[in-house]
Amino acid sequence: MTNQVLSVSTTMVSQNHVIDTEEAIIMEHVKATHNPRGEMDVDASSILDFVDDIFNSDTIPLKATQDKLTLKEYIQNEISSHVLQLSLMVACSCLNNVDSHSIAICLLTTLSVYPWHTKAVMMLTSFAIIYGKFKVVSQSRQRRELAYNLALSKQMSSSNPKYLEDNSIKSALDLVKLMVELKHSSPMIVANYWIARFVVAYTRLCILDPESQIQLSEQSKLSTKIKEIMASSHSLLEAKRAEENYQALLHAFDNSSDILEVLKLIFDVKNDEDEVILHLKWLLEKLDRGIVQKKISPCRLDLFRGKEVLLLISSGRHFPSYVYNAPRGVQMIWVPITKVEKMGLQIIHNYVHLLGSVMIRHKPVAQVFRRFLEDKCFPIFQVGGDPIVISLDKRGRLVHYNALHMILTWRYQLYEETTMNHDLLPSLENELRERTLGADRVIGDIDKQIHDFASQVRKNINNWVNDIKDKMRSSFRSYNYTSEREQTLNGKESWSFKLVVSYDIFYGSKLDEWVADEEYIFLCGGNNNKQVQEFILRIQEICSKIQMNWRIIYIGRSEKTLFDDEVRRMCDSTIEKYSIKRFWTRLQSMASSRIQYLFKMGLDEGSDEIMQGVKNLLVYEAEGSTVGVWGLLSKGNGIIACDMGDKMLGVMNEYEKWKDNAQINGFDRAFKDCYEMMLSSSSSTSYHHPCCFLNYPSNLDKIPNTQSCPQCDHNMHKFVTFSCCHTFMDR
């Protein structure tokens, strides 16, 4: 950039005339001055710090001022000379009788190679240099310190600083800072023009007669324009910052090393002292009336430092207790997404009786996290839909978008402590005695030495094992609630009784003992109470005839049958309503998890035994199903067959035909052979097929476009169903 002064031959108009140019025309003029080069830029932040120092210093020491005005500590060496030249150009141009519009366009033309925001920074900096020298003169009255010629110093020395003591300079500085932040947005282009006009007007105010009415009028106009641009750009700035915060959250989910930083972004925490989590728990202290006390403890986020966290995201204020109570060995925070941002304490109190302890977000989640749920977690999270569980490892990285299905399917398998099930001490002592046989004749306390040595070895082994466990626990790789872990668990599973029935659901039903003893277990269900009773009675009659003892359990969803006294009497174990609900919820989660696994692995659902087996069970007990009775027969952990009640009874009624096979190959093998033979030889019309329904939750990533009926193999009709169980009482 050359050191140039505007030519006097430039179109001249009276100083009393203010050019009123339309915004559209100004925009075209300004755009015509722009010819950027990508490599031309400056350190805007450092330069603006310099400008801030000058504008906000009430008293500037003379020596310090000269240091600042050289820009050596604030501006890149290459840029400093350009800015100083620009300030001289502005000052000299303002001494000539040239209109402000022409000077502004000339300034922008001179700065054509720079980006838009850089132009504004350099122009305001050039004015800051003039303004700083003006302040020095006003304070010291020492004309010799001025960098400009004698004539200029005489004019500046006569100026009165009171005309510059207003908010206009601060507004111009704020606008330039805004331009640096917004950079390439359209309003910032025309803003350059008004910053140029501002620099011209206020430079004239410094070096010329401040009593000029035309200058005061220009000041007023510029102040209005700057305020208008600031106001119109506010929404752009908010949108930009929101986008930056959102990108920061996404980046943190993938690259974070501190979970606290991620939680701060999620819960919009600016102050580390903010208590955004409420910890609700029962205190085991008797009060005067003999009851325990509820306690609510506000918590800061540092409670979760270095810990893994599960975020239980629910739509509305309905508390999904069946999910909250499932995970072990990890912190879970309930985050209800509601229209009412703050949860009332009375509403929160209502949930404490369900569990011994509940952690809940107390203050609103950040808007960027709501956007994340909408953008990245749809369709798995929807308003009015099932909850999801977002899993964060101890670094704060998102390792599972929805760990809900793996939690409900495997639950306690996700938290297993490795224990030493074999004591090495006795065997080690025996080996030492054998290898030192006869030592007791020479060493009187050999037995004590052997015992002490073996004890020390065991202690060393235990210390080593504990050290390994500590390292495992401290490593983020030991965290189980990850999508990779869910894939691994799915890959290891096989169609078995233990997979279908989770023992923690049927706690106290002796199922684990029956499975361990390889007993025959008959699970049955259906929504026709009479057919269920007849089915169980017929099974018992046949078992009595062939002298076999089968364990029978009703696990259907029909409350009428579940609580029927006759059915409960005939069954070997009764299951409570809550456990039944958890059983079917778990099976639905198992199906959802399996679908995702098969999709990721590129496997076919139709050839997957687990998927077909779980799907059959869900069909039997689906809402709207007309299946009267069904049964699943197993021996120990092995599932023999699962089908409609009439088919299962059909096999039993043919026992005389396959009893010889049973004596040779075992009852379970013979039953399965007969069942498979009946399926292959019968046509689709051999049995009465009740209507079958299969419900998929709408929040699955992958829902099959077509689905064949598990009974007749025809394609099932596809419907979209909306349902409400009246549990979400408040949205």
Side-chain angles (χ1 to χ4, degrees):
M1 182 175 66
T2 58
N3 184 7
Q4 58 177 314
V5 180
L6 285 183
S7 172
V8 181
S9 63
T10 307
T11 305
M12 315 229 350
V13 293
S14 171
Q15 285 281 7
N16 295 325
H17 178 66
V18 178
I19 300 177
D20 184 15
T21 311
E22 295 291 339
E23 288 287 334
I25 299 175
I26 292 176
M27 180 69 83
E28 292 303 318
H29 287 177
V30 173
K31 285 182 177 180
T33 67
H34 194 51
N35 184 26
R37 297 178 189 171
E39 72 277 5
M40 299 299 293
D41 206 346
V42 299
D43 183 359
S45 297
S46 297
I47 295 179
L48 287 179
D49 286 344
F50 158 75
V51 173
D52 235 337
D53 284 345
I54 292 181
F55 287 154
N56 295 322
S57 298
D58 292 331
T59 302
I60 305 177
L62 192 59
K63 185 176 179 181
T65 301
Q66 293 306 311
D67 289 339
K68 288 180 181 178
L69 293 178
T70 62
L71 309 177
K72 289 181 181 178
E73 296 180 5
Y74 298 89
I75 305 176
Q76 301 170 3
N77 291 333
E78 180 183 353
I79 300 302
S80 63
S81 60
H82 291 181
V83 174
L84 289 169
Q85 290 174 21
L86 187 66
S87 68
L88 180 59
M89 171 184 168
V90 170
C92 293
S93 298
C94 289
L95 288 174
N96 294 317
N97 194 20
V98 183
D99 66 273
S100 299
H101 171 76
S102 298
I103 299 176
I105 294 300
C106 186
L107 289 176
L108 292 173
T109 302
T110 304
L111 298 171
S112 62
V113 297
Y114 293 99
W116 289 114
H117 66 284
T118 305
K119 299 176 197 284
V121 170
M122 295 179 73
M123 286 188 292
L124 191 65
T125 306
S126 67
F127 169 68
I129 295 171
I130 297 170
Y131 178 77
K133 293 183 178 182
F134 166 71
K135 290 191 72 173
V136 171
V137 171
S138 299
Q139 292 169 8
S140 67
R141 302 297 179 182
Q142 296 180 1
R143 296 179 177 83
R144 64 180 179 275
E145 295 294 335
L146 295 176
Y148 297 118
N149 57 49
L150 184 61
L152 178 60
S153 66
K154 288 180 179 179
Q155 291 173 332
M156 293 183 68
S157 63
S158 64
S159 300
N160 190 337
K162 72 178 182 179
Y163 291 96
L164 295 175
E165 301 300 327
D166 57 23
N167 291 324
S168 297
I169 293 178
K170 181 181 182 304
S171 297
L173 179 59
D174 290 342
L175 177 56
V176 173
K177 290 179 179 179
L178 178 65
M179 294 171 69
V180 170
E181 192 164 355
L182 292 178
K183 292 188 177 177
H184 304 297
S185 58
S186 296
M188 299 305 101
I189 298 176
V190 74
N192 266 277
Y193 173 78
W194 293 108
I195 288 296
R197 289 280 293 267
F198 169 86
V199 168
V200 172
Y202 276 75
T203 298
R204 279 180 169 154
L205 194 62
C206 286
I207 65 178
L208 298 176
D209 184 7
E211 300 294 338
S212 170
Q213 290 299 317
I214 194 69
Q215 292 299 324
L216 297 177
S217 176
E218 177 77 350
Q219 280 183 263
S220 177
K221 180 179 180 179
L222 290 170
S223 177
T224 301
K225 277 293 181 183
I226 289 174
K227 289 178 181 178
E228 288 176 354
I229 296 172
M230 290 285 288
S232 64
S233 302
H234 184 69
S235 59
L236 290 174
L237 182 60
E238 286 188 341
K240 179 179 181 293
R241 289 177 177 173
E243 180 62 26
E244 289 175 346
N245 291 338
Y246 181 61
Q247 294 302 324
L249 179 64
L250 296 182
H251 183 269
F253 278 150
D254 291 334
N255 303 281
S256 172
S257 58
D258 184 0
I259 192 168
L260 293 188
E261 296 306 314
V262 176
L263 293 177
K264 287 177 183 178
L265 291 172
I266 292 174
F267 295 105
D268 196 21
V269 174
K270 302 294 191 296
N271 187 344
D272 290 344
E273 302 299 316
D274 284 351
E275 297 173 327
V276 297
I277 305 297
L278 291 182
H279 189 191
L280 292 78
K281 56 186 175 181
W282 288 105
L283 290 180
L284 301 178
E285 298 176 358
K286 290 185 178 180
L287 302 179
D288 295 337
R289 290 174 291 176
I291 60 175
V292 293
Q293 181 182 9
K294 293 177 183 177
K295 182 180 179 181
I296 297 181
S297 303
C299 303
R300 297 196 298 266
L301 290 179
D302 56 10
L303 175 69
F304 305 99
R305 186 186 301 277
K307 297 180 180 179
E308 299 96 351
V309 172
L310 297 175
L311 300 176
L312 174 56
I313 315 294
S314 67
S315 175
R317 301 184 188 182
H318 172 69
F319 181 48
S321 58
Y322 69 97
V323 181
Y324 194 94
N325 200 30
R328 298 180 61 190
V330 63
Q331 298 280 0
M332 177 174 274
I333 305 173
W334 176 31
V335 185
I337 305 300
T338 60
K339 290 182 179 179
V340 180
E341 291 292 359
K342 288 192 177 182
M343 297 288 288
L345 291 182
Q346 186 57 46
I347 294 174
I348 298 173
H349 266 296
N350 295 336
Y351 300 121
V352 187
H353 72 281
L354 299 171
L355 301 165
S357 176
V358 176
M359 285 191 177
I360 177 176
R361 67 95 176 152
H362 176 46
K363 295 182 179 179
V365 295
Q367 286 299 319
V368 292
F369 185 65
R370 286 178 174 266
R371 179 182 168 187
F372 170 79
L373 293 176
E374 295 172 359
D375 291 355
K376 303 297 183 180
C377 296
F378 183 87
I380 59 174
F381 180 74
Q382 304 176 38
V383 174
D386 294 332
I388 65 171
V389 177
I390 292 177
S391 179
L392 305 174
D393 67 14
K394 61 183 60 181
R395 301 172 300 175
R397 300 190 185 184
L398 196 155
V399 291
H400 207 316
Y401 278 84
N402 186 17
L404 171 68
H405 301 310
M406 71 178 299
I407 289 172
L408 296 182
T409 301
W410 289 282
R411 200 177 181 190
Y412 290 125
Q413 293 183 45
L414 298 172
Y415 182 73
E416 296 176 348
E417 283 287 349
T418 304
T419 58
M420 293 183 62
N421 52 16
H422 178 64
D423 189 358
L424 298 175
L425 188 60
S427 59
L428 179 60
E429 288 183 356
N430 290 335
E431 182 177 350
L432 291 173
R433 288 190 183 96
E434 290 178 4
R435 299 181 67 170
T436 58
L437 194 63
D440 56 334
R441 295 194 303 269
V442 179
I443 304 173
D445 63 343
I446 186 64
D447 286 341
K448 181 178 184 301
Q449 289 191 40
I450 288 174
H451 177 75
D452 291 346
F453 178 78
S455 298
Q456 185 61 43
V457 170
R458 180 169 62 177
K459 181 180 179 181
N460 291 340
I461 291 174
N462 289 338
N463 289 340
W464 182 83
V465 170
N466 291 333
D467 182 58
I468 293 299
K469 287 183 177 180
D470 289 340
K471 290 178 180 178
M472 290 174 61
R473 281 190 290 266
S474 63
S475 172
F476 65 87
R477 294 184 179 88
S478 65
Y479 187 45
N480 275 330
Y481 298 92
T482 68
S483 56
E484 289 79 9
R485 176 64 171 158
E486 184 172 11
Q487 287 290 98
T488 301
L489 289 169
N490 265 304
K492 292 180 178 179
E493 291 292 358
S494 60
W495 180 236
S496 64
F497 190 83
K498 287 183 178 180
L499 177 65
V500 174
V501 180
S502 178
Y503 296 147
D504 63 284
I505 292 180
F506 295 128
Y507 179 76
S509 64
K510 297 184 178 180
L511 270 173
D512 51 345
E513 296 179 14
W514 297 344
V515 172
D517 294 340
E518 289 288 306
E519 295 193 39
Y520 287 93
I521 305 171
F522 223 126
L523 301 181
C524 64
N527 55 29
N528 188 305
N529 189 42
K530 182 180 178 181
Q531 290 184 32
V532 171
Q533 290 186 32
E534 292 174 349
F535 179 79
I536 297 176
L537 185 60
R538 181 59 182 155
I539 292 295
Q540 290 175 336
E541 289 175 354
I542 296 174
C543 288
S544 177
K545 182 179 178 180
I546 63 178
Q547 296 183 340
M548 292 187 68
N549 183 30
W550 288 5
R551 303 293 186 178
I552 301 176
I553 304 176
Y554 178 81
I555 58 169
R557 289 178 170 176
S558 170
E559 292 188 16
K560 180 180 179 181
T561 305
L562 179 64
F563 295 113
D564 183 84
D565 291 337
E566 188 63 22
V567 172
R568 295 173 79 88
R569 183 188 63 79
M570 291 190 292
C571 290
D572 292 274
S573 180
T574 56
I575 311 300
E576 296 304 319
K577 176 183 175 182
Y578 179 68
S579 294
I580 293 288
K581 182 178 179 181
R582 286 176 57 190
F583 172 81
W584 291 104
T585 300
R586 177 179 174 272
L587 276 186
Q588 184 69 67
S589 283
M590 188 187 301
S592 299
S593 178
R594 194 72 184 176
I595 288 172
Q596 305 305 317
Y597 165 75
L598 295 173
F599 176 70
K600 290 179 181 178
M601 297 299 293
L603 301 175
D604 179 33
E605 287 185 27
S607 58
D608 185 71
E609 188 179 17
I610 294 178
M611 192 65 226
Q612 294 307 305
V614 174
K615 196 183 297 182
N616 283 342
L617 290 172
L618 294 174
V619 165
Y620 300 151
E621 293 290 335
E623 185 177 351
S625 172
T626 59
V627 175
V629 62
W630 59 270
L632 181 149
L633 176 62
S634 71
K635 181 185 180 184
N637 191 41
I639 294 177
I640 301 171
C642 177
D643 213 320
M644 300 286 192
D646 56 350
K647 293 182 182 179
M648 300 295 284
L649 284 178
V651 178
M652 293 298 295
N653 291 332
E654 297 291 328
Y655 175 72
E656 291 298 326
K657 296 182 180 180
W658 51 270
K659 66 179 182 180
D660 293 338
N661 186 18
Q663 292 176 357
I664 298 172
N665 298 313
F667 181 89
D668 52 333
R669 182 67 258 176
F671 186 102
K672 190 167 188 176
D673 289 343
C674 181
Y675 170 72
E676 292 176 348
M677 183 179 65
M678 290 180 63
L679 287 183
S680 61
S681 61
S682 63
S683 65
S684 61
T685 58
S686 300
Y687 293 93
H688 168 68
H689 296 299
C691 293
C692 293
F693 297 86
L694 182 60
N695 298 322
Y696 285 116
S698 62
N699 60 356
L700 277 182
D701 282 341
K702 181 67 176 177
I703 298 178
N705 292 323
T706 60
Q707 183 67 59
S708 59
C709 176
Q711 292 299 313
C712 67
D713 288 332
H714 286 85
N715 281 343
M716 302 177 75
H717 296 289
K718 186 176 181 179
F719 297 92
V720 176
T721 303
F722 296 90
S723 66
C724 181
C725 297
H726 313 296
T727 53
F728 294 83
M729 298 305 296
D730 196 316
R731 292 285 181 202

